[in-house]
């Protein structure tokens, strides 16, 4: 309920406080997406979109450093819309939602992390605690696309099946949630205002939520494997990494008392576990 | 808690070791061979050929077993007693999450021991394959798409297998299954749509082009697994219980 309430408050602010910007941006995005994009969208435009988003992220990192908070929020909304454009665009170009190529999955992951970061930026309890670190982290993740080929994976007939797309999409969503959790965890390490427990609590909530979403994706993947290979799991590198990611997401909930005496101690161990999840995802499977 | 934590860390580290070892071609080949068979059969017949994988697998089983024992003791000492003392949902849910996890691990173990699994069986039209008390006859291999694509390497072939390049609703094999020389079923198997007979499943994995032939064949997996349905049920229950636990413990910061 808490999440829904926050979502409601976010949209309320979104529409009433930033009514002018919101109306123009959302209206323009929807119209371009529905009418123009299917006709003109190519992989080239996705690359342009990627560079525009990256530029906006650089601007936001500079704004964070210079402590221009209102402007950071405003640019943040444009980054969110730009990521949404990439998400819709990748579907229009390839005919499927992002699957495993990092050129489309990393923007998808960042879209989720940006959305959650903007959502929590509106909460009065620990205002501005997570947003400062959010933008540099999202920028780094976005820039990681340079390490991979800038191309979209081709269509495969199995993508017609909803459980196949669920497997990929839920995994991407889970990683996006883990990224948001690590943002809070790192904020708890850097915190000097006794908000460490609150940030740790949020990181804990989102780590478990990420684990649930990840397990739902693995469930779909197991079903796919069952129909394709006759068994619910396969001894592969992918299976090893999936096990590692799930087990790492459980580390934070199983910390012995000795290792969680202070919020900082807990946050450091959580950050290591969440960081390893993201690294495991980025490694070639 | 401390013991369970270190076991969890050991299990993660052990899987990381696995991801490194898999870079070796021999280890990868042996792992694939293990996955293509029932693990118990592989242990008896083929494991001596790849001692490294055998050691890794035994290590994995040992850590898994210790973790399961730790869960059982932890469940009894902490969670079960707490759930008896308090009527609140939190300890009960924690107990359920751990019980489901142990059941899932036990079902994995069961599916490695009981039943059978034969993978990569190459069949062509008119051929037959005998296993257990059954005999499988291929009546027809129906492939309506470009057979030249099947001659390509897997990665190249996959690029052509779009919705237009591979019609999975039209490509099928027609099979008859005999039990002690008595026909028990004749059915079509499609990609992602296997044939079921009790715990027995005949799964079509690939169409391929046999050497020196212009007629496509198929690769199938024949598996008898008594635990798959239960596995999916407990997997779903595990997810639901974690989700409920998260909702009731979602504290406002």
């Amino acid at each position: 309920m808490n999440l829904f309430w926050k979502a409601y408050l976010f949209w309320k602010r979104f529409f009433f406080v930033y009514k002018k910007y919101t109306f123009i941006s959302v209206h323009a995005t929807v119209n371009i997406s529905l009418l123009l994009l299917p006709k003109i969208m190519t992989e080239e435009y996705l690359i342009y979109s990627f560079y525009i988003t990256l530029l906006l992220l650089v601007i936001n990192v500079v704004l964070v450093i210079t402590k221009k908070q209102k402007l950071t929020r405003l640019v943040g909304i444009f980054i969110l819309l730009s990521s949404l454009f990439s998400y819709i665009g990748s579907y229009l170009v390839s005919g499927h939602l992002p699957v495993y190529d990092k050129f489309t999955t990393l923007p998808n992951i960042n879209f989720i992390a940006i959305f959650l970061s903007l959502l929590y930026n509106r909460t009065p309890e620990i205002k501005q605690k997570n947003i400062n670190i959010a933008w540099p982290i999202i920028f780094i993740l976005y820039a990681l696309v340079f390490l991979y080929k800038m191309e979209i994976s081709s269509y495969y007939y199995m993508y017609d099946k909803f459980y196949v797309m669920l497997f990929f999409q839920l995994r991407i969503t889970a990683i996006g949630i883990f990224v948001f959790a690590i943002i809070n965890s790192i904020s708890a390490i850097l915190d000097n205002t006794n908000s460490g427990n609150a940030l740790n609590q949020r990181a804990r909530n989102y780590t478990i939520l990420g684990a649930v979403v990840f397990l739902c994706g693995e469930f779909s993947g197991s079903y796919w494997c069952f129909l394709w290979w006759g068994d619910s799991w396969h001894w592969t590198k992918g299976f090893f990494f999936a096990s590692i990611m799930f087990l790492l997401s459980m580390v934070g909930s199983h910390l012995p008392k000795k290792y969680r005496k202070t919020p900082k101690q807990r946050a450091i161990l959580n950050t290591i576990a969440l960081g390893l999840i993201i690294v495991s995802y980025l490694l070639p499977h | 808690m401390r013991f369970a934590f270190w076991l969890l860390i050991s299990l993660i580290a052990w899987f990381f070791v696995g991801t490194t070892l898999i870079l070796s071609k021999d280890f990868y080949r042996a792992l694939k061979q293990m996955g293509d068979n029932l693990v118990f059969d592989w242990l008896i017949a083929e494991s001596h050929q790849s001692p490294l994988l055998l050691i890794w697998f035994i290590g994995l089983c040992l850590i898994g077993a210790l973790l399961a024992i730790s869960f059982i003791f932890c469940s009894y000492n902490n969670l079960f007693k707490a759930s008896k003392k308090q009527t609140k949902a939190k300890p009960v849910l924690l107990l359920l999450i751990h019980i489901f996890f142990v059941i899932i691990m036990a079902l994995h173990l069961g599916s490695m021991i009981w039943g059978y699994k034969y993978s990569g069986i190459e069949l062509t039209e008119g051929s037959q394959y005998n296993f257990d008390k059954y005999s499988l006859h291929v009546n027809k291999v129906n492939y309506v798409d470009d057979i030249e694509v099947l001659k390509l390497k897997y990665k190249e072939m996959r690029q052509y297998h779009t919705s237009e390049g591979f019609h999975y609703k039209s490509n099928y094999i027609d099979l008859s299954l005999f039990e002690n020389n008595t026909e028990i079923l004749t059915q079509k198997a499609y990609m992602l749509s296997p044939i079921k007979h009790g715990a027995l499943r005949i799964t079509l994995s690939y169409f391929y082009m046999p050497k020196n032939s212009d007629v496509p064949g198929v690769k199938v997996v024949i598996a008898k697994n008594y635990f798959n349905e239960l596995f999916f049920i407990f997997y779903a229950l595990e997810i639901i219980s974690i989700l409920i636990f998260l909702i009731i413990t979602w504290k406002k910061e």
Side-chain angles (χ1 to χ4, degrees):
Chain A
M1 278 312 287
N2 192 29
L3 187 65
F4 288 119
W5 180 243
K6 280 186 170 48
Y8 168 71
L9 284 178
F10 175 74
W11 284 110
K12 201 175 151 193
R13 284 290 297 257
F14 206 73
F15 281 111
F16 290 98
V17 180
Y18 293 103
K19 201 157 60 180
K20 198 167 75 183
Y21 303 117
T22 309
F23 182 76
I24 296 166
S25 313
V26 172
H27 205 270
T29 310
V30 170
N31 274 324
I32 291 169
S33 306
L34 293 178
L35 300 169
L36 208 58
L37 279 180
K39 288 171 190 165
I40 59 156
M41 200 66 199
T42 62
E43 206 161 325
E44 214 171 30
Y45 283 101
L46 277 183
I47 294 171
Y48 296 150
S49 161
F50 166 77
Y51 281 111
I52 290 167
T53 313
L54 198 67
L55 180 70
L56 287 169
L57 278 166
V58 172
I59 292 169
N60 239 13
V61 171
V62 173
L63 289 173
V64 164
I65 294 165
T66 52
K67 294 183 179 172
K68 305 270 190 252
Q69 292 173 354
K70 274 192 176 177
L71 220 53
T72 309
R73 280 201 294 273
L74 184 66
V75 177
I77 290 166
F78 284 104
I79 296 173
L80 186 76
L81 291 171
S82 172
S83 305
L84 183 65
F85 177 86
S86 295
Y87 186 59
I88 297 167
S90 69
Y91 175 77
L92 293 172
V93 171
S94 64
H96 61 82
L97 292 171
V99 281
Y100 56 82
D101 59 282
K102 299 294 184 284
F103 178 51
T104 54
T105 56
L106 279 173
N108 194 169
I109 287 167
N110 284 330
F111 172 73
I112 293 153
I114 293 165
F115 177 76
L116 288 170
S117 297
L118 285 171
L119 189 74
Y120 274 90
N121 193 33
R122 305 259 168 249
T123 56
E125 293 93 352
I126 32 177
K127 217 174 184 179
Q128 294 298 321
K129 279 289 173 293
N130 69 330
I131 198 74
N132 291 338
I133 198 72
W135 296 111
I137 289 176
I138 290 166
F139 165 72
I140 293 166
L141 266 176
Y142 226 85
L144 284 177
V145 170
F146 287 118
L147 298 176
Y148 304 91
K149 280 182 186 171
M150 278 202 186
E151 57 185 34
I152 306 177
S153 54
S154 57
Y155 199 90
Y156 189 45
Y157 71 93
M158 287 194 191
Y159 297 160
D160 283 356
K161 300 283 182 186
F162 78 96
Y163 48 83
V164 177
M165 289 321 291
L166 265 185
F167 164 67
F168 289 114
Q169 275 294 301
L170 289 175
R171 179 174 278 209
I172 291 166
T173 308
I175 301 297
I177 294 170
F178 288 137
V179 169
F180 181 67
I182 203 172
I183 287 167
N184 284 282
S185 227
I186 294 173
S187 303
I189 298 172
L190 302 173
D191 178 64
N192 294 319
T193 56
N194 294 326
S195 301
N197 276 328
L199 289 163
N200 271 332
Q201 180 64 33
R202 188 189 286 169
R204 172 259 182 206
N205 289 346
Y206 277 91
T207 305
I208 300 179
L209 181 66
V212 170
V213 175
F214 185 78
L215 278 182
C216 289
E218 289 305 300
F219 185 89
S220 302
S222 279
Y223 186 62
W224 180 21
C225 188
F226 184 48
L227 297 181
W228 193 6
W229 300 105
D231 216 339
S232 55
W233 99 96
H234 220 54
W235 291 98
T236 57
K237 210 190 212 181
F239 167 67
F240 289 177
F241 274 118
S243 306
I244 288 168
M245 285 192 257
F246 171 68
L247 292 169
L248 280 168
S249 71
M250 290 291 111
V251 167
S253 318
H254 289 85
L255 286 178
K257 275 181 190 164
K258 192 184 165 186
Y259 303 129
R260 51 182 160 97
K261 278 180 187 164
T262 63
K264 272 196 184 163
Q265 201 180 12
R266 192 179 155 193
I268 289 168
L269 291 170
N270 252 337
T271 304
I272 294 169
L274 288 163
L276 285 171
I277 293 177
I278 295 162
V279 170
S280 302
Y281 176 76
L282 293 172
L283 287 171
H285 288 197
Chain B
M1 187 74 155
R2 200 180 295 177
F3 186 56
F5 171 75
W6 284 111
L7 280 173
L8 198 64
I9 298 296
S10 310
L11 196 57
I12 293 165
W14 204 248
F15 272 118
F16 263 120
V17 170
T19 58
T20 314
L21 288 174
I22 215 169
L23 297 172
S24 135
K25 276 184 182 171
D26 289 339
F27 189 86
Y28 173 77
R29 214 173 290 130
L31 191 75
K32 194 177 175 304
Q33 204 175 27
M34 183 169 93
D36 283 347
N37 297 287
L38 193 75
V39 174
F40 187 68
D41 291 343
W42 173 83
L43 275 172
I44 290 170
E46 288 162 88
S47 60
H48 62 277
Q49 291 170 3
S50 40
L52 195 59
L53 177 59
L54 183 64
I55 292 166
W56 181 84
F57 180 71
I58 291 170
L60 182 74
C61 290
L62 273 175
I63 301 170
L66 285 172
L67 196 64
I69 293 166
S70 152
F71 276 153
I72 291 163
F73 278 106
C74 173
S75 299
Y76 181 76
N77 287 336
N78 302 321
L79 308 174
F80 184 66
K81 285 178 184 170
S83 65
K84 274 179 89 177
K85 275 181 202 167
Q86 302 171 28
T87 46
K88 284 181 181 173
K90 188 184 162 184
V92 178
L93 272 165
L94 264 179
L95 183 66
L96 279 176
I97 290 168
H98 285 83
I99 289 172
F100 291 150
F101 190 78
V102 173
I103 291 173
I104 290 168
M105 283 170 79
L107 290 169
H108 270 319
L109 185 72
S111 66
M112 288 186 213
I113 298 171
W114 287 284
Y116 47 79
K117 186 180 176 187
Y118 310 111
S119 302
I121 299 162
E122 297 180 353
L123 297 171
T124 49
E125 201 165 299
S127 64
Q128 76 172 68
Y129 184 79
N130 300 321
F131 62 98
D132 199 14
K133 55 189 176 184
Y134 301 101
S135 177
L136 190 68
H137 292 244
V138 182
N139 305 321
K140 190 179 180 185
V141 176
N142 196 61
Y143 189 78
V144 298
D145 295 306
D146 185 7
I147 56 168
E148 290 302 314
V149 173
L150 295 178
K151 292 174 185 169
L152 298 171
K153 284 181 180 170
Y154 176 71
K155 277 189 178 173
E156 293 168 345
M157 184 172 76
R158 198 170 154 143
Q159 286 183 340
Y160 288 95
H161 276 176
T162 59
S163 293
E164 289 79 34
F166 186 87
H167 295 85
Y168 65 90
K169 287 176 183 166
S170 306
N171 297 328
Y172 63 86
I173 46 166
D174 190 73
L175 298 168
S176 292
L177 186 68
F178 292 82
E179 186 178 357
N180 299 325
N181 295 323
T182 311
E183 188 175 332
I184 47 173
L185 65 86
T186 295
Q187 215 174 310
K188 287 171 188 166
Y190 298 83
M191 287 300 297
L192 303 177
S193 182
I195 294 173
K196 283 178 278 181
H197 177 67
L200 178 72
R201 292 175 79 91
I202 301 156
T203 309
L204 171 58
S205 290
Y206 279 114
F207 283 88
Y208 81 108
M209 191 57 77
K211 280 177 187 168
N212 308 321
S213 170
D214 283 328
V215 186
V218 286
K219 288 188 182 183
V220 298
V221 179
I222 297 170
K224 194 166 202 172
N225 190 324
Y226 304 98
F227 304 99
N228 273 324
E229 278 79 8
L230 274 175
F231 165 76
F232 282 113
I233 291 167
F234 280 100
Y235 201 152
L237 287 172
E238 174 82 344
I239 294 170
I240 293 164
S241 53
I242 299 176
L243 184 63
I244 298 170
F245 174 77
L246 177 65
I247 292 167
I248 63 166
T249 58
W250 188 289
K251 286 176 201 156
K252 203 175 178 187
E253 301 94 0

